[in-house]
């Protein structure tokens, strides 16, 4: 079972946006996908780009460094490349987003 830890306030990330947060020493890319929070490893497996700074379109985030795309639901590639990132559970508790690490 993951341990849920505070990541940020719900109000910190508007719908359609993302943010890099550090939870329990792990850098997480956290996105608000239409009111549902999705958490991925922040580190793009291509060359280490910060996915939390990438643009979100629907459920797909585009790495800001070279444009590789990942699906926030699965962590899998959204553009057919042989890369994927870890995903983490999230939950909202009293206006706070928590990530399960
Ligand atoms: S580091 Fe993310 S696409 Fe290259």
């Amino acid at each position: 079972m993951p341990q849920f830890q505070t990541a940020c306030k719900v109000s910190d990330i508007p719908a359609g946006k993302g943010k890099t947060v550090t939870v329990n020493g792990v850098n997480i890319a956290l996105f608000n996908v239409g009111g549902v929070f999705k958490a991925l490893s922040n580190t793009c497996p291509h060359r280490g780009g910060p996915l939390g700074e990438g643009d979100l379109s629907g459920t797909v985030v585009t790495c800001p460094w070279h444009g590789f795309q990942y699906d926030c639901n699965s962590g899998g590639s959204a553009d057919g490349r042989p890369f994927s990132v870890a995903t983490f559970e999230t939950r909202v508790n009293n206006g706070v987003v928590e990530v399960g690490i």
Side-chain angles (χ1 to χ4, degrees):
M1 283 288 288
Q3 297 272 350
F4 283 90
Q5 314 239 358
T6 297
C8 66
K9 295 180 195 166
V10 168
S11 58
D12 288 342
I13 309 179
K17 299 295 184 186
K19 177 183 175 68
T20 301
V21 296
T22 303
V23 180
N24 209 21
V26 179
N27 288 334
I28 303 284
L30 188 60
F31 297 98
N32 181 337
V33 181
V36 178
F37 288 89
K38 300 291 181 179
L40 310 171
S41 169
N42 189 56
T43 306
C44 178
H46 177 226
R47 297 274 172 82
L51 294 179
E53 297 175 20
D55 286 334
L56 184 68
S57 177
T59 63
V60 174
V61 59
T62 300
C63 179
W65 283 10
H66 313 102
F68 289 21
Q69 295 183 314
Y70 302 92
D71 189 288
C72 289
N73 288 319
S74 66
S77 174
D79 58 3
R81 300 178 198 269
F83 293 101
S84 63
V85 294
T87 60
F88 302 91
E89 290 183 48
T90 68
R91 70 184 186 190
V92 172
N93 193 7
N94 286 330
V96 168
V97 183
E98 298 176 339
V99 175
I101 295 287

